[in-house]
Amino acid sequence: MKQLVLDLGADQAQSLDTFEVGQNAELAHLMHQFASRMSREHFAYLWGETAAGKTHLLHSLGATPGSRYIGAGAAESDFVYASDVSLYLLDDCNLLSADAQIDAFALFNQIREHGAYMVSTGPVPPAVLPVREDLRTRMGWGLVYQIHGLSDDDKIAALTHAADARGLTLSASVLPYLLSHFRRDMRSLSTMLDALDQYSLETQRPVTLPLLRDLLSQANHEGDPKA
């Protein structure tokens, strides 16, 4: 049997349209407004658990013209305001170094002065974020949204829809088993669905539980155990 290596860490194209909305309809609408620079609010802070979709949204917004994504390990120059950048995207604020927090504070003030936009993220609400007080205040300037993770039913519905869209028929036990024996974030689950589709074609076997178990066994063998 041909060995299939899963590259679950590879970057995939992320967009607002591929964000699984779930219970986040109002937030998704707001992000579209930020993407078009049509929001009445110029600041938003998003918080939620790991893999809830915070970075997905920021990377999606970062694909729009005039945007700048700023990760926690960004260079000092990334925090410098630029006239050709109208949307700044500050990810993982809880990981900012002491110096980066000072730079971020200055950037917030410049964004407000020039009427630009900022979306920032963290694991907890601004009030309890472990950063300096003046920066914490800035993060609470605009709208604050909790990103609600998808329920298992939401994930199964989204994966079923994706499978239907590519004409892939799944036996009833495949997705529940996948959720309980593999990574639970939608990015990894979607990647596994792609791999199942490819593996099914390569082996000329339907997508059933035995096929999934074979593929998971290969993933574990290649160093990708369940996280």
Side-chain angles (χ1 to χ4, degrees):
M1 181 185 297
K2 181 181 177 180
Q3 185 73 15
L4 179 62
V5 179
L6 299 179
D7 185 11
L8 297 176
D11 289 335
Q12 296 179 325
Q14 296 174 327
S15 70
L16 294 179
D17 291 335
T18 59
F19 175 68
E20 296 295 342
V21 175
Q23 302 177 55
N24 304 294
E26 183 177 342
L27 169 60
H29 178 68
L30 176 67
M31 292 299 97
H32 280 282
Q33 290 184 323
F34 268 82
S36 60
R37 316 302 194 262
M38 297 294 291
S39 171
R40 295 179 61 182
E41 292 284 350
H42 283 241
F43 293 90
Y45 176 89
L46 316 181
W47 67 276
E49 62 186 15
T50 300
K54 302 184 296 295
T55 299
H56 180 122
L57 289 173
L58 262 57
H59 283 166
S60 300
L61 292 171
T64 63
S67 300
R68 180 190 295 170
Y69 175 86
I70 307 172
E76 182 179 353
S77 59
D78 289 331
F79 292 91
V80 176
Y81 179 84
S83 60
D84 60 341
V85 178
S86 56
L87 175 60
Y88 296 81
L89 309 160
L90 184 58
D91 207 3
D92 294 324
C93 293
N94 56 302
L95 301 180
L96 293 173
S97 67
D99 288 341
Q101 290 181 40
I102 295 173
D103 295 335
F105 171 77
L107 180 58
F108 267 90
N109 292 336
Q110 290 179 303
I111 290 171
R112 189 174 200 179
E113 177 184 351
H114 294 281
Y117 294 82
M118 163 77 89
V119 180
S120 52
T121 74
V124 294
V128 292
L129 196 69
V131 296
R132 49 188 289 160
E133 178 62 31
D134 54 5
L135 179 58
R136 189 183 304 122
T137 300
R138 297 301 185 272
M139 291 175 180
W141 265 351
L143 300 172
V144 176
Y145 277 91
Q146 179 183 6
I147 300 184
H148 298 282
L150 297 177
S151 67
D152 284 357
D153 287 344
D154 289 335
K155 292 176 182 178
I156 288 176
L159 292 169
T160 299
H161 182 267
D164 290 343
R166 57 168 56 93
L168 182 63
T169 301
L170 307 175
S171 68
S173 57
V174 165
L175 293 179
Y177 186 90
L178 181 60
L179 284 176
S180 60
H181 291 80
F182 192 62
R183 299 174 182 176
R184 296 177 56 82
D185 64 282
M186 281 302 299
R187 184 178 182 185
S188 295
L189 291 168
S190 296
T191 301
M192 178 55 82
L193 188 65
D194 290 338
L196 276 169
D197 191 8
Q198 179 183 343
Y199 194 40
S200 174
L201 290 172
E202 287 186 358
T203 60
Q204 295 297 300
R205 294 165 60 191
V207 183
T208 59
L209 190 53
L211 184 77
L212 173 59
R213 285 174 173 159
D214 285 350
L215 191 54
L216 288 176
S217 176
Q218 290 196 35
N220 290 337
H221 179 72
E222 292 298 327
D224 277 309
K226 179 184 174 183

